[in-house]
Amino acid sequence: MRLAVLKERRPAETRVAATPETVKKFIALGLTVAVEAGAGLSAGIPDAEYAAAGAELAPDAASALHGAGIVLKVRAPLGTGEGAVDELSLIARGTLLLGQLQATPEMAATYAQLGLEAGAMELLPRITRAQSMDILSSQANLAGYRAVIEAAAAFDRGFPMLMTAAGTIPAANVFIMGAGVAGLQAIATARRLGGRVSATDVRPAAKEEIKSLGASFVGYEDEESKAAQTAGGYAKQLSANFYAKQAEVVATHIAKQDIVITTALVQGRKAPTLVTAEMVRSMKPGSIIVDIASDAGGNVALTKPGEVVTTENGVTILGHSNWPGRIPAAASALYARNLLTFLTTFWDKEAKAPKLPESDEIVKGVLLTRGGAVIHPSLAPAQA
Ligand code: NAD
C-alpha cells in the first residue's frame, strides 16, 4: 500500500505531516511512501532527507497521490477554488485521509461525497490510551512554549530579576489566562525564564495544576465554577454573571502585569473575551500580550487575528495565527509521531494495511466518513 505526504499549501502553515523518522517506520510496516517535493522545507527538512529515509520524491501533489491508499496532512486538503491545486479531487475514493480536517458538517459531507475515509485527528478523545496520538496536546504544548519565548523577545526588559553592579532590574510579572495544555506549558516556561508567574482558569482542577507548577492562582470561584468542567475535561460555557465577576478580578490584576498570555478556549465556540479594551488600556507601556487563541477569534478584544498590533498606550498584542507552526521542526516531529502512533495502533500486520474498527472509542471519535456516508456520531444526519 502506498502512503502519500503532501506539501501544506494553506496560509501560515509551515508544518509537515511526516518526518524522515516516521517515513522509515512506515516503510518498516510494509508501506511504500511518496513525499511531495518541498513538503518539509518550511520545517527544515530537505527532500534529500526523505529520500535517504527511503521515500519516493514526487514532483507534485498529483504524482504523490497517484495510487495512494493513505494520505497524511497537517491541515485539510484544498478543495475546488481554494488554491492553485485542487488536492481533494486528486485523492482516490476509498483512501484513508488523516489530518486536522475542519470537521464541520459541510466538510464531512464533501469527504463523504468523494468516498474518502476521513479521520479528523482534532476530534481524538482525550483519554489515556490516546495520549500518544493526541495532536491537540502535542501542538498546544509547543504553542504555549513558543508564546512565552516570543513574549520575552518582544519585551524590552528581562524576565528574571537581574541584580547587577549597575543596579537591579525587577522580575517581569507574567499572567497566564487559561491553564490547559498550552497554558501549563506557558507557566512552566515563564517560570524557567525567571518571571513572577500567576495564572487563572475556570476549571477547579486547573487551580491545583497551576499551584503545582509554582504559579499563584488568580481567579473568581463560586458554585457555578465548581461544575465548570465537562465530562471530557473541557471548560463549559458559563453564565454572563460569572464572566462579569471573573472580569472584575482579572481587571485589577492585569493592570500590574508586564506579560499576559491568553490560551482560553471553550470547545465548539468562539474563544471567550477575557481581556477587554479597557483592561489593555490599564496596562503599562511596553507590556506584551500574546493571544494564542487568535485562530478561534482571540481572548483579547483588541487582537487582530494573524497580526501584531501596538495600542495607543504602547501595549503590543501578538495575535499570530498557527502558534505551533511558529516552531515548525518540533511541531512537525511531534505531529508526525502522533499520526504514526495512530496508524501503528490500528495496523493489520497480515494485510499490511490499517484496520479501523468503528467499535473502538478512538476510531469512533475520529472517523468522519466511510463508504460514502458521514458516520461520525456528532455529524451524521439524524436517523429517521
Ligand atoms: P482548551 O484548549 O480547550 O482550553 C484551554 C484552557 O482554557 C482550559 O484549561 C479551559 O479550562 C480554559 N478556559 C476556558 N474558558 C476560560 C475562562 N473564561 N477563563 C479562564 N480559562 C478558561 O483545553 P486543553 O488544553 O485542550 O485541555 C482540556 C482538558 O483536557 C484539560 O482538562 C486537560 O487536562 C485535558 N486533557 C486530557 C488529556 C488526556 O487525558 N489524554 C490530554 C490533553 C488534555
Side-chain angles (χ1 to χ4, degrees):
M1 186 177 238
R2 180 173 159 104
L3 176 148
V5 180
L6 295 191
K7 185 160 78 184
E8 298 296 321
R9 293 182 166 78
R10 290 191 182 271
E13 193 48 78
T14 51
R15 294 167 290 173
V16 60
T19 58
E21 174 196 305
T22 64
V23 164
K24 271 190 210 152
K25 298 208 165 127
F26 287 130
I27 292 170
L29 288 177
L31 289 161
T32 55
V33 177
V35 176
E36 184 181 354
L41 280 185
S42 53
I45 309 171
D47 289 345
E49 286 191 22
Y50 286 110
E56 172 200 318
L57 283 172
D60 51 31
S63 43
L65 290 168
H66 187 74
I70 304 173
V71 176
L72 302 186
K73 288 280 291 132
V74 176
R75 309 271 298 281
L78 298 176
T80 319
E82 282 197 286
V85 185
D86 182 347
E87 295 167 330
L88 275 175
S89 71
L90 299 170
I91 306 177
R93 295 187 80 79
T95 300
L96 172 64
L97 168 66
L98 295 178
Q100 296 177 69
L101 297 185
Q102 296 172 6
T104 59
E106 297 74 31
M107 287 302 288
T110 304
Y111 299 132
Q113 211 175 22
L114 293 168
L116 304 181
E117 291 217 350
M121 294 299 290
E122 70 274 28
L123 298 184
L124 194 89
R126 312 299 281 277
I127 55 173
T128 308
R129 187 165 69 94
Q131 259 175 5
S132 52
M133 320 168 193
D134 186 346
I135 61 161
L136 290 184
S137 291
S138 73
Q139 305 302 292
N141 195 326
L142 291 169
Y145 163 79
R146 181 71 188 191
V148 174
I149 298 303
E150 294 209 22
F155 187 46
D156 55 15
R157 287 186 283 129
F159 261 49
M161 183 169 79
L162 293 168
M163 293 173 79
T164 78
T168 300
I169 295 188
N173 288 327
V174 185
F175 182 38
I176 315 290
M177 304 185 73
V181 179
L184 292 175
Q185 181 56 258
I187 293 173
T189 306
R191 294 255 307 145
R192 275 184 223 123
L193 286 179
R196 287 180 49 195
V197 185
S198 57
T200 190
D201 203 300
V202 290
R203 292 178 299 106
K207 181 177 175 182
E208 294 315 310
E209 288 165 347
I210 289 168
K211 290 208 230 157
S212 73
L213 287 175
S216 53
F217 176 78
V218 174
Y220 174 73
E221 295 165 279
D222 64 7
E223 284 305 310
E224 189 179 354
S225 64
K226 280 188 193 151
Q229 182 160 319
T230 65
Y234 291 101
K236 283 185 192 160
Q237 176 77 13
L238 301 170
S239 69
N241 180 50
F242 177 90
Y243 286 128
K245 291 273 188 343
Q246 184 190 30
E248 271 175 38
V249 176
V250 164
T252 39
H253 187 66
I254 225 168
K256 295 175 244 151
Q257 301 305 308
D258 299 298
I259 312 282
V260 176
I261 314 257
T262 66
T263 75
L265 294 176
V266 176
Q267 213 188 15
R269 292 180 178 261
K270 186 190 165 296
T273 303
L274 303 183
V275 181
T276 61
E278 203 179 325
M279 290 181 201
V280 176
R281 280 195 286 273
S282 77
M283 294 176 75
K284 289 168 283 190
S287 303
I288 307 292
I289 301 177
V290 181
D291 194 344
I292 303 188
S294 59
D295 284 335
N299 291 141
V300 183
L302 301 182
T303 293
K304 288 204 176 137
E307 292 183 32
V308 175
V309 291
T310 301
T311 62
E312 274 175 21
N313 64 319
V315 176
T316 299
I317 305 171
L318 309 184
H320 298 298
S321 295
N322 191 10
W323 279 90
R326 299 180 71 76
I327 179 166
S332 301
L334 298 187
Y335 183 91
R337 282 187 210 149
N338 291 146
L339 295 191
L340 171 72
T341 308
F342 180 84
L343 279 172
T344 47
T345 302
F346 297 105
W347 193 252
D348 182 335
K349 283 193 187 129
E350 275 166 32
K352 291 195 167 59
K355 189 173 173 189
L356 302 176
E358 284 162 45
S359 54
D360 185 284
E361 191 182 358
I362 296 174
V363 175
K364 200 186 285 172
V366 161
L367 204 59
L368 302 179
T369 55
R370 174 166 269 173
V374 177
I375 59 161
H376 194 277
S378 68
L379 295 166
Q383 299 292 315

